[in-house]
Amino acid sequence: MRIATFNVNGVNGRLPRLLEWLEETQPDVACLQELKAPQDKFPKAAIEKAGYGAIWAGQSRWNGVALLARGCEPVETRRCLPGYPSDEQARYIEGAVNGLLIGCLYLPNGNPQPGPKFDYKLAWMERLNDYAAELIEANVPVVLAGDYNVVATDFDIYNPRSWLKDALLQPESREAYTRLLAQGWTDALRHLFPDEPIYTFWDYFRNAWARNAGLRIDHLLLSPSIASRLRDAGVDREVRGREGASDHAPTWILLDD
DNA sequence: ATGTCAGGTCATACCTGA
C-alpha cells in the first residue's frame, strides 16, 4: 500500500501536475495540502476521472486539505482537530482507507515570529499532540501525513544559518514536534534513511531548487501498531523540477498489506 | 534585505500568506 503526501500549492492552478503525478506513481492514498480552493471549487471530476475517491476541506485563498483513495471513497472520520471547533482554517482531514486511519494535516507556517501567527502555530501543535496521544492510547493503526512546517533537526535543512529566525526552526516548534515523536510515532523516512540528507521542500526564492537548498518538512508518521509494516519510502524529487511545480515534492511510503 | 509563487480583489495592479 503506497501512501503519499503532497503540498500541491494550489490544486486548480497545478492540477495538470497533480494528475500527471497520480498517473505516474499510482498511490493508494494521497494526502494533499494547500488546496487554495473553496469547498465548491475542488476539482472533484478530474480527480474521479483519475480513479480516486476524495474527501476534502476547502477554504478560499489559503489552506485546504484533501484525502484521496485509489478506487474507493475514504470514510471520513474528522475534518478538524478535536477540541478545535472554532478553527476557521482548513488544516486537518481524516478518513479510513483499507483498515488504516489516515490523518492529513497542514500545520501552520507560523511566520513571522514572534507574533500571533506563531502563537497560533504552537497552539495548533498542542492540539495535534493531544489528539495524537489519544490515537496512540487507543492503539489505532494510523498514518499522520502532511506538511508539518517544522524542520526537526539541522540535518533536515541544507544550511540552517539563513533560517534561524524562521518559525520552522524555532526551539518551541522543534520541541513540540519532538514531543509528538516521543509518544511512539515513527518518522518513516528518517527511520529508513537515518544518515541521508532528505529534502521535501525547496523555496521559490534564491534559486533554491537549482542549488538543492532544501528542507525536510513533509512527514509520514506511523503509529506503533503499523511501524513494522514499513517497507520503503522516498521523495519524488523530479516533480519539483518540472514546469509550474509546487515548491514541495511528493513524499511517500510503502506499507506491507 | 532579497527573492517567487498563487489566488483574490472596490481588477489589468496590488495585496496577503507562504
Side-chain angles (χ1 to χ4, degrees), chain A residues 115-235:
Chain A
K117 290 186 181 176
F118 189 60
D119 295 341
Y120 176 75
K121 177 192 188 106
L122 295 180
W124 206 95
M125 293 186 87
E126 291 309 314
R127 298 282 188 180
L128 175 64
N129 283 7
D130 289 349
Y131 178 53
E134 285 179 30
L135 293 172
I136 293 267
E137 181 75 19
N139 201 29
V140 181
V142 191
V143 178
L144 286 178
D147 176 357
Y148 281 74
N149 267 320
V150 175
V151 173
T153 74
D154 285 354
F155 190 52
D156 295 302
I157 183 169
Y158 66 104
N159 179 355
R161 195 170 60 88
S162 58
W163 291 77
L164 285 176
K165 292 182 178 173
D166 195 281
L168 278 60
L169 274 77
Q170 292 316 297
E172 298 95 327
S173 311
R174 289 176 155 185
E175 188 269 337
Y177 181 73
T178 301
R179 270 191 289 117
L180 173 63
L181 288 184
Q183 294 176 1
W185 299 91
T186 297
D187 172 351
L189 272 86
R190 192 49 86 211
H191 178 76
L192 287 182
F193 308 107
D195 302 320
E196 276 186 38
I198 306 168
Y199 306 135
T200 66
F201 164 88
W202 295 261
D203 212 316
Y204 290 124
F205 301 166
R206 308 180 196 116
N207 205 25
W209 169 246
R211 295 188 297 127
N212 193 28
L215 286 64
R216 190 175 76 95
I217 55 177
D218 299 275
H219 304 304
L220 296 114
L221 305 189
L222 311 180
S223 68
S225 63
I226 59 166
S228 63
R229 289 170 57 185
L230 181 62
R231 279 299 157 266
D232 198 5
V235 179

